[in-house]
């Protein structure tokens, strides 16, 4: 599958090609990165346009849309493509099938996950229960978080972002580059 072009001039996103693996149709390779924050209006029918860079990052996946899950920590929705949900499923597989941890995570994640298909204009219909969880009414902020993105009520995100930025500065948080497979830094 040909990769979509990477957009680099404004830093919105970068796509790394994925390829299909065998008959099961799993997507392998790196996931796209979701960057930046965009606020869009919600229309009377509950439709909201997913930012074009986010849609482009999901291009080529079998399901043309997003998966949204209410956040455990914030009044926001955690979102990505179906490949992300498959990765979550694989991670939950580390727990014993009938363990309390497995049961809690599958009930909290998969029972609340919703597939939201793109319409012809790149919009989704934001279900009422998801909008209520995030206190979203008239506008939605799409917040890039690397391999995922979140949907927030815009003012709530601005407050959270200011607090997170202050906390990161106070704690002098830094990030080490990940090692390349050849042993060097990225």
């Amino acid at each position: 599958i040909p990769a979509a072009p990477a957009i680099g001039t404004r830093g919105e996103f970068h796509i790394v090609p994925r390829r299909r693996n065998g008959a099961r149709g799993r997507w392998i390779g790196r996931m796209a990165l979701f960057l930046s924050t965009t606020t869009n209006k919600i229309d009377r029918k509950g439709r909201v346009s997913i930012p074009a860079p986010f849609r482009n990052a999901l291009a080529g996946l079998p399901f043309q849309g997003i998966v949204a899950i209410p956040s455990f920590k914030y009044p926001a929705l955690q979102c990505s493509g179906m490949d992300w949900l498959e990765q979550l499923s694989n991670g939950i597989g580390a727990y014993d099938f009938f363990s309390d941890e497995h049961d809690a995570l599958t009930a909290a994640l998969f029972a609340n996950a919703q597939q939201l298909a793109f319409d012809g204009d790149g919009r989704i219909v934001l279900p009422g229960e998801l909008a209520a969880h995030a206190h979203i009414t008239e506008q939605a902020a799409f917040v890039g978080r690397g391999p995922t993105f979140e949907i927030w009520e815009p003012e709530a995100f601005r407050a959270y972002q200011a607090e997170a930025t202050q906390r990161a500065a106070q704690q002098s948080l830094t990030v080490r580059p990940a090692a390349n497979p050849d042993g060097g830094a990225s």
Side-chain angles (χ1 to χ4, degrees):
I1 293 176
I7 304 295
T9 56
R10 292 184 47 214
E12 281 111 355
F13 72 100
H14 178 71
I15 292 180
V16 177
R18 298 175 246 216
R19 66 182 194 280
R20 223 177 174 116
N21 181 19
R24 291 190 52 192
R26 287 178 150 193
W27 294 94
I28 59 175
R30 289 186 166 171
M31 293 177 63
L33 294 179
F34 297 95
L35 307 176
S36 194
T37 300
T38 301
T39 299
N40 288 336
K41 290 185 180 188
I42 299 172
D43 73 12
R44 292 180 310 215
K45 296 179 182 179
R47 297 176 301 196
V48 62
S49 181
I50 302 294
F54 290 16
R55 289 193 316 268
N56 291 340
L58 296 166
L61 290 176
F63 174 66
Q64 291 299 294
I66 66 169
V67 175
I69 300 173
S71 172
F72 293 169
K73 294 177 69 174
Y74 313 109
L77 307 174
Q78 295 180 303
C79 307
S80 198
M82 283 297 289
D83 54 343
W84 171 64
L85 204 59
E86 186 174 312
Q87 287 181 345
L88 290 179
S89 178
N90 292 339
I92 291 171
Y95 294 101
D96 291 332
F97 188 67
F98 291 109
S99 69
D100 290 341
E101 296 86 358
H102 183 275
D103 290 349
L105 286 169
T106 57
L109 292 173
F110 299 112
N112 290 318
Q114 293 201 32
Q115 289 181 260
L116 308 175
F118 297 142
D119 70 9
D121 294 321
R123 299 174 298 192
I124 59 164
V125 174
L126 195 58
E129 60 273 15
L130 292 181
H133 173 80
H135 310 292
I136 295 171
T137 55
E138 297 177 7
Q139 294 185 327
F142 293 83
V143 179
R145 301 280 281 205
T148 63
F149 65 95
E150 293 173 342
I151 305 175
W152 286 74
E153 188 283 323
E155 288 301 320
F157 176 69
R158 281 191 270 285
Y160 165 76
Q161 185 179 33
E163 179 185 312
T165 301
Q166 182 179 21
R167 192 170 49 249
Q170 287 173 343
Q171 296 174 10
S172 299
L173 298 178
T174 61
V175 178
R176 286 191 189 114
N180 283 331
D182 65 5
S186 300

